[in-house]
Amino acid sequence: MTWRTHMCGEPTAALVGESLILSGWTARRRDHGGLVFVDLRDRSGVTQLVINPEHSPEAAELAHGIRNEFVLRAEGELVARSPETVNPNMPTGEVELKVDSLELVSRSTALPFQLDEENVDETLRLRYRWLDLRRDKLQRNIRLRAQMVGIIRRTMEEAGFLDIQTPILFKPTPEGARDFVVPSRLQPGRFYALPQSPQILKQLTMVAGFDRYYQIAICFRDEDLRADRVQEITQLDVEMSFPDQELLFELMEQMYARIWRECLGIAIETPFVRLTYEEADRRFGSDKPDTRFALELEDATEATRGSEFGVFAGAEAVRFLRVPKAFSRGELAKLEELAKEWGAKGLAYLVFDGGEVRSPIAKFLSEAELAAFAGKDGETLLFAADVQEATSRVLGALRLHLGREVDLIRDDDFTFLWVTDFPMFRREEESGRWAAEHHPFTRPTKEWEGRFHTEPKEALAHAYDLIVNGNELGGGSFRIHEPELQAKVFELLGMTEAEQRSKFGFLLDALAMGAPPMGGIALGIDRMTMVLAGEPNLRDVIAFPKNQAGVDPMSGAPSDVTDEHLVELGLARLEEPAG
Ligand code: ASP
């Protein structure tokens, strides 16, 4: 038996008069007492079936019992619709299948939600993900993701990168998150860690002489979930020996240009803009600036050194945004609320409106200060006065908010950029220890190679991130291939020699046996799909995601194990699982 001669999205006027077989799902059924209309759907689209009791009484009998999402097989002649019933919004809207015979292939129980229903509770959608995935939007997102991954693979293969699979059961690999651990039955009391990234392993493929590696790798990070984070991240993971930053950047740029061209028909501009971390922070108050709009931060620290306004005079940094709008009092109060949420103590402003300056602080400011700000009519200057880092945080966030609020962003723009020369280390708040800003295998820039340990706060890393529209797509670095240098970084991170050996002895040994210079990058596939699809919900670009509590409402994972199983693993329970 033939299930289908065509897909449901294919019938057009050119096929009128032919007999067709279609199989698919009932998207909609309209029962007019006599005639029954069924929209039959498969992955390619929808065709309207017409079932006429006079033409085929058996089919009509069956059709009365059909409900949404029943699977049908229909045979009949493709006919042209009468002009008044043509649907110009449907690719198959000029035709319909006049059904000769109809087969009910499988039924559906009552649906927990209709496919065209809006605002369905997300837990319900995840619980019945197979249904949810039938919706147009999710079909599109998942297909787009597959198309993109196909292009990525082709680009990497053409450039001579080899797909090498690395293990999932491994040792802790530091990327700054908590590890997922898996108990070992054969080695009771011992645990594997799921890799936070294949970082060390990909470096070992370079030591092993493979020269160019890539993998679509899943990385496991036991993080508290926020709206934009998942615990299983899929990334394009790349490494090359004898690395050349220009070559790597260009390859990535070509790859993105190809993805955008083939998936969306959009030409993106290459080469991408490059900013150093210092410049990105200075101009945009962010290490992942959205550069679709200007609204750059300006500095007034010098101009306000002797200010009578104490808040300005005493602050490490005074910076401001020049917004092309004269805000009302109410609007300013709302902005101040937001600024406070981001850690500001207040929000000083100057509104240049109708030849006047509206501002509670204007009376403290000298002519010279006002002249230095050079506000124009119809502008508002919004100030942050604090330590440098806090002014970046507040104004960076305010800038993004205003970009949307004052409508400075064009949604169909894609602005890619590289941010380079990141700080190498940051101080951990709680322990006061130095931590690697990227990961501990990242090498310092040339200038810092010999002295990163003397001024860790200032030291710069040969690390880069790729940003699009204010989203970090991923990042990478050049690596340390000298065992002594690696040990020195470990030492600065507070690791004793014994710890270095037990955690990373195998890496240090490998680096001591002829390691080539190496560098690479990892780019998030989930995030890339979100941007490509214009999809704000991270979970909607993943076929089977977990919810924000790390639970899969569909399968119920994570689930309990039996006491026997625990005994085998050498584990004991401290707590009964909830629920
Ligand atoms: N392993 C890094 C990460 O997962 C990327 C890299 O340095 O290549 O973020």
Side-chain angles (χ1 to χ4, degrees):
M1 189 191 55
T2 315
W3 282 114
R4 51 196 178 189
T5 56
H6 292 77
M7 300 298 292
C8 296
E10 283 175 345
T12 56
L15 291 172
V16 164
E18 293 197 22
S19 58
L20 264 47
I21 307 175
L22 301 176
S23 289
W25 285 261
T26 306
R28 212 152 71 98
R29 187 198 60 135
R30 277 149 297 147
D31 199 331
H32 289 206
L35 289 181
V36 180
F37 295 94
V38 170
D39 286 347
L40 197 68
R41 180 195 74 236
D42 64 19
R43 71 176 153 87
S44 68
V46 172
T47 289
Q48 174 166 291
L49 311 179
V50 199
I51 301 131
N52 185 334
E54 279 162 28
H55 179 70
S56 70
E58 265 177 49
E61 177 67 35
L62 186 67
H64 292 304
I66 290 169
R67 297 289 173 269
N68 282 359
E69 300 309 310
F70 280 24
V71 179
L72 309 176
R73 176 181 178 277
E75 252 184 283
E77 183 194 340
L78 195 72
V79 297
R81 292 198 201 182
S82 58
E84 69 283 3
T85 59
V86 164
N87 181 347
N89 301 322
M90 263 170 97
T92 61
E94 288 179 34
V95 293
E96 57 195 12
L97 193 75
K98 191 173 149 206
V99 172
D100 296 328
S101 77
L102 188 68
E103 188 189 332
L104 174 54
V105 179
S106 80
R107 299 171 174 278
S108 166
T109 51
L111 299 172
F113 52 84
Q114 295 298 323
L115 266 59
D116 57 4
E117 208 174 313
E118 302 207 4
N119 302 322
V120 179
D121 171 60
E122 196 178 23
T123 303
L124 195 66
R125 289 176 42 207
L126 293 178
R127 162 84 178 79
Y128 298 98
R129 191 61 164 175
W130 56 85
L131 265 190
D132 196 29
L133 284 167
R134 286 184 200 164
R135 293 161 178 262
D136 287 346
K137 186 178 84 165
L138 284 150
Q139 284 274 319
R140 172 176 176 265
N141 289 356
I142 301 301
R143 286 173 194 288
L144 198 61
R145 180 177 176 126
Q147 188 188 2
M148 182 185 79
V149 170
I151 299 168
I152 291 174
R153 288 192 179 282
R154 282 193 291 282
T155 307
M156 298 312 292
E157 306 265 335
E158 283 163 20
F161 286 77
L162 196 68
D163 179 0
I164 304 178
Q165 201 178 339
T166 53
I168 296 298
L169 297 178
F170 196 57
K171 261 189 103 148
T173 54
E175 295 282 354
R178 240 185 234 107
D179 286 315
F180 276 103
V181 295
V182 179
S184 159
R185 179 180 59 84
L186 297 177
Q187 310 289 327
R190 291 182 174 266
F191 296 82
Y192 299 99
L194 307 184
Q196 290 186 34
S197 88
Q199 184 59 42
I200 301 177
L201 292 155
K202 69 175 171 177
Q203 288 183 216
L204 295 183
T205 68
M206 296 298 103
V207 180
F210 287 105
D211 206 76
R212 292 183 174 194
Y213 145 101
Y214 90 96
Q215 183 180 193
I216 306 289
I218 304 187
C219 303
F220 302 88
R221 301 182 186 176
D222 186 1
E223 305 195 90
D224 293 330
L225 297 167
R226 283 183 260 134
D228 63 343
R229 282 198 194 277
V230 282
Q231 295 174 319
E232 288 167 65
I233 309 153
T234 310
Q235 56 184 31
L236 162 64
D237 199 40
V238 178
E239 195 74 6
M240 64 196 294
S241 296
F242 308 107
D244 174 340
Q245 184 173 298
E246 294 310 310
L247 195 142
L248 182 68
F249 280 20
E250 198 188 309
L251 179 67
M252 294 298 114
E253 290 170 2
Q254 293 314 324
M255 184 182 84
Y256 280 101
R258 192 165 164 186
I259 293 171
W260 256 253
R261 188 172 62 241
E262 290 182 24
C263 295
L264 301 180
I266 291 177
I268 57 174
E269 222 171 288
T270 58
F272 299 164
V273 168
R274 294 184 199 184
L275 295 176
T276 63
Y277 171 88
E278 187 278 325
E279 190 181 357
D281 182 67
R282 176 162 44 80
R283 292 174 50 190
F284 303 101
S286 169
D287 61 359
K288 46 176 181 161
D290 187 343
T291 51
R292 282 176 297 177
F293 60 104
L295 196 65
E296 295 192 14
L297 276 58
E298 295 179 44
D299 197 295
T301 313
E302 278 313 306
T304 53
R305 277 314 68 176
S307 182
E308 274 181 44
F309 184 47
V311 175
F312 281 2
E316 177 184 300
V318 180
R319 297 159 85 194
F320 65 93
L321 286 170
R322 182 186 299 281
V323 190
K325 180 176 175 187
F327 286 115
S328 70
R329 243 172 218 284
E331 289 169 325
L332 288 161
K334 280 201 195 109
L335 291 174
E336 178 161 29
E337 280 295 302
L338 284 174
K340 283 184 174 162
E341 276 174 34
W342 297 317
K345 291 176 203 85
L347 183 67
Y349 59 83
L350 294 171
V351 186
F352 296 87
D353 194 8
E356 284 180 26
V357 188
R358 263 196 286 126
S359 165
I361 64 163
K363 57 180 177 291
F364 300 110
L365 301 177
S366 65
E367 285 297 318
E369 280 172 287
L370 285 172
F373 302 145
K376 284 197 275 308
D377 211 51
E379 277 182 353
T380 302
L381 273 45
L382 298 169
F383 290 85
D386 207 321
V387 292
Q388 177 80 13
E389 189 243 306
T391 59
S392 287
R393 188 178 58 243
V394 172
L395 293 182
L398 204 52
R399 174 180 177 272
L400 277 187
H401 173 78
L402 291 167
R404 283 186 291 269
E405 189 84 2
V406 188
D407 225 359
L408 303 172
I409 303 178
R410 282 195 28 210
D411 276 334
D412 53 353
D413 261 3
F414 294 98
T415 314
F416 288 82
L417 73 123
W418 295 101
V419 178
T420 63
D421 299 275
F422 276 80
M424 189 155 171
F425 305 103
R426 78 186 129 75
R427 256 214 207 278
E428 273 183 343
E429 263 173 42
E430 275 169 32
S431 62
R433 295 220 278 199
W434 291 109
E437 185 66 47
H438 192 53
H439 52 57
F441 320 112
T442 298
R443 70 181 308 113
T445 56
K446 265 259 158 306
E447 308 82 84
W448 284 97
E449 232 160 68
R451 58 188 178 105
F452 67 88
H453 50 289
T454 57
E455 289 172 84
K457 190 170 185 293
E458 311 304 324
L460 297 180
H462 192 154
Y464 31 78
D465 275 359
L466 184 59
I467 313 296
V468 60
N469 296 356
N471 295 290
E472 183 190 324
L473 288 177
S477 63
F478 277 26
R479 328 296 185 189
I480 298 167
H481 63 277
E482 308 90 325
E484 309 74 29
L485 185 58
Q486 185 63 76
K488 207 164 183 175
V489 170
F490 285 154
E491 202 184 309
L492 188 108
L493 298 175
M495 250 183 261
T496 63
E497 217 162 296
E499 278 171 328
Q500 294 180 29
R501 287 303 313 169
S502 82
K503 286 188 177 153
F504 303 116
F506 67 111
L507 173 68
L508 292 169
D509 290 348
L511 294 183
M513 292 187 194
M518 48 198 152
I521 193 165
L523 297 160
I525 300 276
D526 308 303
R527 190 64 56 85
M528 251 190 256
T529 317
M530 280 175 83
V531 176
L532 194 66
E535 170 58 65
N537 183 347
L538 181 61
R539 288 177 296 280
D540 279 354
V541 296
I542 301 171
F544 298 102
K546 306 211 173 29
N547 68 13
Q548 292 199 41
V551 169
D552 169 18
M554 181 178 77
S555 69
S559 47
D560 195 9
V561 295
T562 60
D563 287 341
E564 293 76 45
H565 197 165
L566 286 182
V567 171
E568 266 183 351
L569 295 167
L571 298 177
R573 254 185 235 285
L574 284 180
E575 243 179 78
E576 285 302 317

